Amino acid sequence: MPAQQKKLLLGTGAVLSLACALGAAAAAGSQLWVRGSVLCSTGALLVNASGPELHKFIGHIQYGLFSGQRVRQHLCLMCTMTLCLFPVFPDLLRIIPASIHVSVILFCAVLVVFALVAAGFFTLNAFGSPYETLHGPAGLYLWSFICCSCGCLVMILFSSEVKIHHLSEKIANFKEGTFTFKTHSEQFANSFWTILVCSLVQFLNALLIRFAGFEFPFSKSKDSGTITGAVDLMY
């Protein structure tokens, strides 16, 4: 494989993996995973509200893996409460699917770590020749596969936590003794879709590894072709 082609494709893979690691880390620490609105059903039933009157009882909620914010509205009374999961984490574990939530955090961490590992090995292979299995194309495929799988697992587990286990309602009703809130609307926000982009980036990296084995019209010397010919068969 020509040196210029190798540096271009694998160097691009290194940059994409590094961007994936930074994006996943930023997404994990943000509050922009879910945005939605909650309806105070207790207040609406008390005044028998319907139609446009329901808007007076609709609040807003936004949260991530570690923190969030909710705005509760009851007629003319509006209360904003910042929900940080660290101080109340032991209590919150009683009402949310703790195993799923911890698994999402764990797979996010694994995604960040292995994306950094992939970036390092892409750089190593871009400017040198693979000398061990895990340093060569097999290793690059492995790191990309792990990152892509972790990203998919994060999306599947978190979406099941939100949709199947009604996470928004449980957070909205956390430590609520008088009023009961129901989910009015909810949608996944930027950080959730960032994880999807990270998974797609790792799939793209796998294609770059494969394309690195094809010959493109770059100039090369006969000696370099002879030396690296056996290594190119690995890609």
Side-chain angles (χ1 to χ4, degrees):
M1 177 177 54
Q4 186 175 356
Q5 173 187 337
K6 178 182 179 180
K7 292 180 180 180
L8 176 63
L9 294 178
L10 298 185
T12 301
V15 173
L16 291 177
S17 294
L18 181 60
C20 175
L22 295 177
S30 75
Q31 297 182 6
L32 303 178
W33 282 74
V34 175
R35 285 176 175 167
S37 58
V38 289
L39 172 65
C40 180
S41 58
T42 305
L45 288 174
L46 287 175
V47 299
N48 197 21
S50 61
E53 296 177 349
L54 288 177
H55 290 285
K56 299 178 181 179
F57 297 90
I58 293 178
H60 301 281
I61 188 171
Q62 158 183 315
Y63 59 88
L65 300 181
F66 300 102
S67 62
Q69 188 180 59
R70 62 187 181 187
V71 178
R72 301 172 297 177
Q73 184 168 323
H74 317 284
L75 289 176
C76 297
L77 174 63
M78 181 177 294
C79 176
T80 302
M81 177 181 180
T82 299
L83 177 65
C84 183
L85 301 192
F86 281 127
V88 298
F89 200 67
D91 295 331
L92 198 63
L93 289 178
R94 300 173 185 174
I95 63 171
I96 68 173
S99 59
I100 297 179
H101 198 81
V102 173
S103 297
V104 171
I105 297 174
L106 177 62
F107 282 120
C108 280
V110 173
L111 172 59
V112 173
V113 171
F114 278 93
L116 291 174
V117 171
F121 281 118
F122 267 105
T123 303
L124 176 65
N125 282 270
F127 298 99
S129 297
Y131 55 91
E132 292 181 5
T133 301
L134 294 182
H135 291 183
L140 297 181
Y141 281 122
L142 176 63
W143 311 133
S144 298
F145 174 77
I146 292 176
C147 293
C148 186
S149 300
C150 287
C152 293
L153 286 173
V154 167
M155 296 182 63
I156 293 172
L157 291 175
F158 188 76
S159 58
S160 67
E161 186 180 11
V162 173
K163 299 298 183 180
I164 298 178
H165 295 276
H166 308 290
L167 184 61
S168 298
E169 286 188 8
K170 292 179 179 179
I171 293 178
N173 289 285
F174 181 68
K175 291 186 176 180
E176 283 287 348
T178 306
F179 299 97
T180 301
F181 292 88
K182 298 292 184 181
T183 302
H184 185 263
S185 66
E186 63 182 0
Q187 59 275 342
F188 295 109
N190 298 341
S191 295
F192 180 84
W193 301 119
T194 299
I195 300 298
L196 173 61
V197 172
C198 291
S199 300
L200 295 178
V201 164
Q202 294 303 324
F203 179 77
L204 176 61
N205 278 348
L207 296 180
L208 290 178
I209 300 169
R210 183 65 188 93
F211 287 149
F214 290 104
E215 296 292 339
F216 286 88
F218 293 122
S219 61
K220 64 174 182 177
S221 64
K222 295 181 179 179
D223 294 337
S224 63
T226 303
I227 295 173
T228 60
V231 175
D232 294 338
L233 296 177
M234 299 174 65
Y235 289 90

mmCIF file of all heavy atoms in Angstrom, residues 195-232:
data_model
loop_
_atom_site.group_PDB
_atom_site.id
_atom_site.type_symbol
_atom_site.label_atom_id
_atom_site.label_comp_id
_atom_site.label_asym_id
_atom_site.label_seq_id
_atom_site.Cartn_x
_atom_site.Cartn_y
_atom_site.Cartn_z
ATOM 1 N N ILE A 195 -24.208 10.097 20.467
ATOM 2 C CA ILE A 195 -23.779 8.700 20.593
ATOM 3 C C ILE A 195 -24.047 7.939 19.294
ATOM 4 O O ILE A 195 -23.234 7.101 18.873
ATOM 5 C CB ILE A 195 -24.495 8.021 21.772
ATOM 6 C CG1 ILE A 195 -24.177 8.747 23.084
ATOM 7 C CG2 ILE A 195 -24.102 6.559 21.874
ATOM 8 C CD1 ILE A 195 -22.713 8.724 23.463
ATOM 9 N N LEU A 196 -25.157 8.240 18.633
ATOM 10 C CA LEU A 196 -25.442 7.609 17.341
ATOM 11 C C LEU A 196 -24.374 7.989 16.318
ATOM 12 O O LEU A 196 -23.878 7.140 15.563
ATOM 13 C CB LEU A 196 -26.824 8.036 16.856
ATOM 14 C CG LEU A 196 -27.198 7.599 15.427
ATOM 15 C CD1 LEU A 196 -27.206 6.085 15.305
ATOM 16 C CD2 LEU A 196 -28.545 8.180 15.021
ATOM 17 N N VAL A 197 -24.003 9.263 16.287
ATOM 18 C CA VAL A 197 -22.968 9.714 15.355
ATOM 19 C C VAL A 197 -21.640 9.021 15.648
ATOM 20 O O VAL A 197 -20.920 8.623 14.726
ATOM 21 C CB VAL A 197 -22.814 11.248 15.435
ATOM 22 C CG1 VAL A 197 -21.616 11.714 14.615
ATOM 23 C CG2 VAL A 197 -24.077 11.937 14.945
ATOM 24 N N CYS A 198 -21.329 8.855 16.933
ATOM 25 C CA CYS A 198 -20.090 8.157 17.308
ATOM 26 C C CYS A 198 -20.094 6.721 16.799
ATOM 27 O O CYS A 198 -19.064 6.215 16.334
ATOM 28 C CB CYS A 198 -19.909 8.179 18.821
ATOM 29 S SG CYS A 198 -19.539 9.804 19.514
ATOM 30 N N SER A 199 -21.225 6.053 16.870
ATOM 31 C CA SER A 199 -21.317 4.678 16.362
ATOM 32 C C SER A 199 -21.130 4.641 14.852
ATOM 33 O O SER A 199 -20.434 3.757 14.320
ATOM 34 C CB SER A 199 -22.676 4.071 16.738
ATOM 35 O OG SER A 199 -22.842 4.039 18.140
ATOM 36 N N LEU A 200 -21.725 5.597 14.159
ATOM 37 C CA LEU A 200 -21.573 5.656 12.704
ATOM 38 C C LEU A 200 -20.133 5.975 12.308
ATOM 39 O O LEU A 200 -19.632 5.477 11.296
ATOM 40 C CB LEU A 200 -22.528 6.702 12.127
ATOM 41 C CG LEU A 200 -24.027 6.404 12.281
ATOM 42 C CD1 LEU A 200 -24.860 7.547 11.717
ATOM 43 C CD2 LEU A 200 -24.394 5.088 11.603
ATOM 44 N N VAL A 201 -19.476 6.807 13.107
ATOM 45 C CA VAL A 201 -18.078 7.137 12.841
ATOM 46 C C VAL A 201 -17.201 5.903 12.939
ATOM 47 O O VAL A 201 -16.306 5.681 12.104
ATOM 48 C CB VAL A 201 -17.596 8.231 13.816
ATOM 49 C CG1 VAL A 201 -16.068 8.319 13.826
ATOM 50 C CG2 VAL A 201 -18.186 9.581 13.437
ATOM 51 N N GLN A 202 -17.450 5.064 13.927
ATOM 52 C CA GLN A 202 -16.656 3.844 14.064
ATOM 53 C C GLN A 202 -16.927 2.866 12.919
ATOM 54 O O GLN A 202 -16.019 2.148 12.488
ATOM 55 C CB GLN A 202 -16.941 3.185 15.414
ATOM 56 C CG GLN A 202 -16.491 3.997 16.608
ATOM 57 C CD GLN A 202 -15.013 4.329 16.572
ATOM 58 O OE1 GLN A 202 -14.195 3.518 16.128
ATOM 59 N NE2 GLN A 202 -14.654 5.515 17.045
ATOM 60 N N PHE A 203 -18.152 2.844 12.433
ATOM 61 C CA PHE A 203 -18.450 2.022 11.252
ATOM 62 C C PHE A 203 -17.705 2.569 10.040
ATOM 63 O O PHE A 203 -17.178 1.804 9.220
ATOM 64 C CB PHE A 203 -19.956 1.999 11.010
ATOM 65 C CG PHE A 203 -20.361 1.198 9.798
ATOM 66 C CD1 PHE A 203 -20.386 -0.190 9.851
ATOM 67 C CD2 PHE A 203 -20.699 1.827 8.612
ATOM 68 C CE1 PHE A 203 -20.750 -0.938 8.732
ATOM 69 C CE2 PHE A 203 -21.065 1.087 7.496
ATOM 70 C CZ PHE A 203 -21.088 -0.294 7.557
ATOM 71 N N LEU A 204 -17.635 3.895 9.925
ATOM 72 C CA LEU A 204 -16.876 4.512 8.842
ATOM 73 C C LEU A 204 -15.396 4.183 8.950
ATOM 74 O O LEU A 204 -14.715 3.967 7.936
ATOM 75 C CB LEU A 204 -17.095 6.026 8.865
ATOM 76 C CG LEU A 204 -16.306 6.857 7.845
ATOM 77 C CD1 LEU A 204 -16.672 6.449 6.427
ATOM 78 C CD2 LEU A 204 -16.573 8.346 8.051
ATOM 79 N N ASN A 205 -14.887 4.117 10.163
ATOM 80 C CA ASN A 205 -13.485 3.757 10.355
ATOM 81 C C ASN A 205 -13.192 2.347 9.842
ATOM 82 O O ASN A 205 -12.114 2.086 9.299
ATOM 83 C CB ASN A 205 -13.125 3.850 11.835
ATOM 84 C CG ASN A 205 -12.805 5.269 12.258
ATOM 85 O OD1 ASN A 205 -12.635 6.153 11.420
ATOM 86 N ND2 ASN A 205 -12.739 5.504 13.548
ATOM 87 N N ALA A 206 -14.141 1.445 10.038
ATOM 88 C CA ALA A 206 -13.958 0.088 9.521
ATOM 89 C C ALA A 206 -13.848 0.095 7.995
ATOM 90 O O ALA A 206 -13.062 -0.653 7.408
ATOM 91 C CB ALA A 206 -15.111 -0.802 9.974
ATOM 92 N N LEU A 207 -14.618 0.963 7.354
ATOM 93 C CA LEU A 207 -14.515 1.090 5.894
ATOM 94 C C LEU A 207 -13.170 1.681 5.482
ATOM 95 O O LEU A 207 -12.590 1.276 4.464
ATOM 96 C CB LEU A 207 -15.660 1.968 5.378
ATOM 97 C CG LEU A 207 -17.082 1.423 5.561
ATOM 98 C CD1 LEU A 207 -18.101 2.405 4.999
ATOM 99 C CD2 LEU A 207 -17.240 0.062 4.889
ATOM 100 N N LEU A 208 -12.660 2.624 6.279
ATOM 101 C CA LEU A 208 -11.362 3.215 5.965
ATOM 102 C C LEU A 208 -10.256 2.171 6.054
ATOM 103 O O LEU A 208 -9.326 2.172 5.240
ATOM 104 C CB LEU A 208 -11.074 4.373 6.928
ATOM 105 C CG LEU A 208 -11.916 5.634 6.766
ATOM 106 C CD1 LEU A 208 -11.537 6.664 7.822
ATOM 107 C CD2 LEU A 208 -11.749 6.226 5.375
ATOM 108 N N ILE A 209 -10.364 1.277 7.035
ATOM 109 C CA ILE A 209 -9.362 0.212 7.163
ATOM 110 C C ILE A 209 -9.384 -0.679 5.922
ATOM 111 O O ILE A 209 -8.346 -1.082 5.399
ATOM 112 C CB ILE A 209 -9.628 -0.626 8.429
ATOM 113 C CG1 ILE A 209 -9.573 0.257 9.677
ATOM 114 C CG2 ILE A 209 -8.607 -1.749 8.553
ATOM 115 C CD1 ILE A 209 -10.090 -0.428 10.920
ATOM 116 N N ARG A 210 -10.598 -0.961 5.451
ATOM 117 C CA ARG A 210 -10.719 -1.810 4.263
ATOM 118 C C ARG A 210 -10.194 -1.103 3.020
ATOM 119 O O ARG A 210 -9.476 -1.700 2.209
ATOM 120 C CB ARG A 210 -12.187 -2.211 4.061
ATOM 121 C CG ARG A 210 -12.400 -3.157 2.885
ATOM 122 C CD ARG A 210 -11.705 -4.488 3.157
ATOM 123 N NE ARG A 210 -11.719 -5.344 1.969
ATOM 124 C CZ ARG A 210 -10.749 -5.393 1.073
ATOM 125 N NH1 ARG A 210 -9.680 -4.624 1.211
ATOM 126 N NH2 ARG A 210 -10.828 -6.202 0.040
ATOM 127 N N PHE A 211 -10.517 0.174 2.882
ATOM 128 C CA PHE A 211 -10.067 0.922 1.720
ATOM 129 C C PHE A 211 -8.550 1.103 1.716
ATOM 130 O O PHE A 211 -7.960 1.336 0.662
ATOM 131 C CB PHE A 211 -10.735 2.295 1.661
ATOM 132 C CG PHE A 211 -12.179 2.245 1.272
ATOM 133 C CD1 PHE A 211 -13.066 3.198 1.753
ATOM 134 C CD2 PHE A 211 -12.656 1.251 0.443
ATOM 135 C CE1 PHE A 211 -14.406 3.158 1.401
ATOM 136 C CE2 PHE A 211 -13.992 1.196 0.085
ATOM 137 C CZ PHE A 211 -14.879 2.146 0.571
ATOM 138 N N ALA A 212 -7.943 1.016 2.895
ATOM 139 C CA ALA A 212 -6.493 1.169 2.962
ATOM 140 C C ALA A 212 -5.768 0.046 2.233
ATOM 141 O O ALA A 212 -4.581 0.160 1.923
ATOM 142 C CB ALA A 212 -6.036 1.203 4.423
ATOM 143 N N GLY A 213 -6.452 -1.033 1.918
ATOM 144 C CA GLY A 213 -5.838 -2.135 1.205
ATOM 145 C C GLY A 213 -5.922 -2.019 -0.303
ATOM 146 O O GLY A 213 -5.318 -2.806 -1.015
ATOM 147 N N PHE A 214 -6.674 -1.029 -0.826
ATOM 148 C CA PHE A 214 -6.790 -0.842 -2.259
ATOM 149 C C PHE A 214 -5.693 0.078 -2.775
ATOM 150 O O PHE A 214 -5.166 0.916 -2.036
ATOM 151 C CB PHE A 214 -8.161 -0.259 -2.619
ATOM 152 C CG PHE A 214 -9.298 -1.217 -2.413
ATOM 153 C CD1 PHE A 214 -10.145 -1.074 -1.321
ATOM 154 C CD2 PHE A 214 -9.519 -2.257 -3.290
ATOM 155 C CE1 PHE A 214 -11.185 -1.946 -1.115
ATOM 156 C CE2 PHE A 214 -10.572 -3.142 -3.089
ATOM 157 C CZ PHE A 214 -11.410 -2.989 -2.005
ATOM 158 N N GLU A 215 -5.374 -0.057 -4.034
ATOM 159 C CA GLU A 215 -4.362 0.781 -4.650
ATOM 160 C C GLU A 215 -5.012 2.013 -5.271
ATOM 161 O O GLU A 215 -5.947 1.908 -6.062
ATOM 162 C CB GLU A 215 -3.612 -0.014 -5.735
ATOM 163 C CG GLU A 215 -2.825 -1.200 -5.200
ATOM 164 C CD GLU A 215 -1.643 -0.763 -4.355
ATOM 165 O OE1 GLU A 215 -1.210 0.392 -4.504
ATOM 166 O OE2 GLU A 215 -1.174 -1.566 -3.531
ATOM 167 N N PHE A 216 -4.507 3.182 -4.905
ATOM 168 C CA PHE A 216 -4.944 4.442 -5.495
ATOM 169 C C PHE A 216 -3.771 5.043 -6.263
ATOM 170 O O PHE A 216 -2.608 4.717 -6.007
ATOM 171 C CB PHE A 216 -5.411 5.413 -4.404
ATOM 172 C CG PHE A 216 -6.753 5.033 -3.831
ATOM 173 C CD1 PHE A 216 -6.835 4.149 -2.759
ATOM 174 C CD2 PHE A 216 -7.921 5.535 -4.373
ATOM 175 C CE1 PHE A 216 -8.069 3.804 -2.231
ATOM 176 C CE2 PHE A 216 -9.150 5.179 -3.854
ATOM 177 C CZ PHE A 216 -9.221 4.313 -2.785
ATOM 178 N N PRO A 217 -4.030 5.939 -7.205
ATOM 179 C CA PRO A 217 -2.953 6.466 -8.066
ATOM 180 C C PRO A 217 -2.038 7.446 -7.350
ATOM 181 O O PRO A 217 -1.929 8.607 -7.725
ATOM 182 C CB PRO A 217 -3.736 7.145 -9.197
ATOM 183 C CG PRO A 217 -5.010 7.551 -8.578
ATOM 184 C CD PRO A 217 -5.344 6.461 -7.599
ATOM 185 N N PHE A 218 -1.388 7.010 -6.290
ATOM 186 C CA PHE A 218 -0.364 7.809 -5.633
ATOM 187 C C PHE A 218 0.996 7.298 -6.102
ATOM 188 O O PHE A 218 1.166 6.112 -6.363
ATOM 189 C CB PHE A 218 -0.443 7.700 -4.102
ATOM 190 C CG PHE A 218 -1.689 8.330 -3.536
ATOM 191 C CD1 PHE A 218 -2.568 7.588 -2.770
ATOM 192 C CD2 PHE A 218 -1.970 9.658 -3.777
ATOM 193 C CE1 PHE A 218 -3.703 8.164 -2.242
ATOM 194 C CE2 PHE A 218 -3.106 10.242 -3.247
ATOM 195 C CZ PHE A 218 -3.969 9.502 -2.488
ATOM 196 N N SER A 219 1.921 8.191 -6.142
ATOM 197 C CA SER A 219 3.258 7.781 -6.566
ATOM 198 C C SER A 219 3.929 6.983 -5.457
ATOM 199 O O SER A 219 3.773 7.279 -4.278
ATOM 200 C CB SER A 219 4.092 9.022 -6.895
ATOM 201 O OG SER A 219 4.218 9.849 -5.759
ATOM 202 N N LYS A 220 4.696 5.978 -5.852
ATOM 203 C CA LYS A 220 5.424 5.179 -4.872
ATOM 204 C C LYS A 220 6.651 4.593 -5.540
ATOM 205 O O LYS A 220 6.712 4.432 -6.757
ATOM 206 C CB LYS A 220 4.547 4.050 -4.329
ATOM 207 C CG LYS A 220 4.139 3.017 -5.378
ATOM 208 C CD LYS A 220 3.399 1.867 -4.743
ATOM 209 C CE LYS A 220 3.053 0.820 -5.815
ATOM 210 N NZ LYS A 220 2.403 -0.352 -5.220
ATOM 211 N N SER A 221 7.586 4.280 -4.737
ATOM 212 C CA SER A 221 8.798 3.669 -5.257
ATOM 213 C C SER A 221 8.639 2.158 -5.285
ATOM 214 O O SER A 221 7.828 1.592 -4.562
ATOM 215 C CB SER A 221 10.004 4.059 -4.383
ATOM 216 O OG SER A 221 9.834 3.545 -3.079
ATOM 217 N N LYS A 222 9.462 1.516 -6.118
ATOM 218 C CA LYS A 222 9.376 0.066 -6.208
ATOM 219 C C LYS A 222 9.821 -0.596 -4.923
ATOM 220 O O LYS A 222 9.309 -1.632 -4.528
ATOM 221 C CB LYS A 222 10.237 -0.427 -7.379
ATOM 222 C CG LYS A 222 9.732 0.048 -8.731
ATOM 223 C CD LYS A 222 10.602 -0.495 -9.842
ATOM 224 C CE LYS A 222 10.099 -0.050 -11.210
ATOM 225 N NZ LYS A 222 10.956 -0.562 -12.311
ATOM 226 N N ASP A 223 10.799 0.018 -4.258
ATOM 227 C CA ASP A 223 11.295 -0.577 -3.020
ATOM 228 C C ASP A 223 10.237 -0.576 -1.938
ATOM 229 O O ASP A 223 10.038 -1.552 -1.228
ATOM 230 C CB ASP A 223 12.523 0.201 -2.516
ATOM 231 C CG ASP A 223 13.695 0.062 -3.466
ATOM 232 O OD1 ASP A 223 13.713 -0.935 -4.216
ATOM 233 O OD2 ASP A 223 14.576 0.955 -3.445
ATOM 234 N N SER A 224 9.517 0.546 -1.812
ATOM 235 C CA SER A 224 8.493 0.612 -0.782
ATOM 236 C C SER A 224 7.383 -0.366 -1.057
ATOM 237 O O SER A 224 6.799 -0.947 -0.153
ATOM 238 C CB SER A 224 7.920 2.043 -0.682
ATOM 239 O OG SER A 224 7.293 2.391 -1.910
ATOM 240 N N GLY A 225 7.078 -0.589 -2.345
ATOM 241 C CA GLY A 225 6.043 -1.556 -2.676
ATOM 242 C C GLY A 225 6.464 -2.960 -2.341
ATOM 243 O O GLY A 225 5.671 -3.792 -1.921
ATOM 244 N N THR A 226 7.766 -3.246 -2.518
ATOM 245 C CA THR A 226 8.258 -4.584 -2.216
ATOM 246 C C THR A 226 8.281 -4.854 -0.723
ATOM 247 O O THR A 226 7.925 -5.922 -0.257
ATOM 248 C CB THR A 226 9.684 -4.747 -2.784
ATOM 249 O OG1 THR A 226 9.655 -4.481 -4.166
ATOM 250 C CG2 THR A 226 10.198 -6.159 -2.520
ATOM 251 N N ILE A 227 8.644 -3.826 0.059
ATOM 252 C CA ILE A 227 8.773 -4.016 1.491
ATOM 253 C C ILE A 227 7.417 -4.168 2.170
ATOM 254 O O ILE A 227 7.229 -5.010 3.033
ATOM 255 C CB ILE A 227 9.557 -2.828 2.112
ATOM 256 C CG1 ILE A 227 10.990 -2.837 1.577
ATOM 257 C CG2 ILE A 227 9.546 -2.910 3.628
ATOM 258 C CD1 ILE A 227 11.780 -1.615 2.003
ATOM 259 N N THR A 228 6.465 -3.345 1.760
ATOM 260 C CA THR A 228 5.190 -3.334 2.452
ATOM 261 C C THR A 228 4.129 -4.215 1.798
ATOM 262 O O THR A 228 3.014 -4.253 2.249
ATOM 263 C CB THR A 228 4.628 -1.884 2.507
ATOM 264 O OG1 THR A 228 4.463 -1.414 1.149
ATOM 265 C CG2 THR A 228 5.598 -0.978 3.242
ATOM 266 N N GLY A 229 4.512 -4.910 0.746
ATOM 267 C CA GLY A 229 3.518 -5.715 0.041
ATOM 268 C C GLY A 229 2.909 -6.797 0.891
ATOM 269 O O GLY A 229 1.704 -7.048 0.869
ATOM 270 N N ALA A 230 3.744 -7.473 1.696
ATOM 271 C CA ALA A 230 3.240 -8.538 2.549
ATOM 272 C C ALA A 230 2.344 -7.988 3.643
ATOM 273 O O ALA A 230 1.357 -8.607 4.038
ATOM 274 C CB ALA A 230 4.408 -9.300 3.178
ATOM 275 N N VAL A 231 2.688 -6.791 4.138
ATOM 276 C CA VAL A 231 1.875 -6.191 5.196
ATOM 277 C C VAL A 231 0.514 -5.765 4.663
ATOM 278 O O VAL A 231 -0.504 -5.853 5.351
ATOM 279 C CB VAL A 231 2.629 -4.973 5.798
ATOM 280 C CG1 VAL A 231 1.736 -4.259 6.810
ATOM 281 C CG2 VAL A 231 3.907 -5.434 6.454
ATOM 282 N N ASP A 232 0.464 -5.281 3.389
ATOM 283 C CA ASP A 232 -0.788 -4.813 2.815
ATOM 284 C C ASP A 232 -1.818 -5.919 2.733
ATOM 285 O O ASP A 232 -3.024 -5.664 2.721
ATOM 286 C CB ASP A 232 -0.561 -4.243 1.418
ATOM 287 C CG ASP A 232 0.296 -2.969 1.470
ATOM 288 O OD1 ASP A 232 0.319 -2.365 2.570
ATOM 289 O OD2 ASP A 232 0.895 -2.609 0.448
#
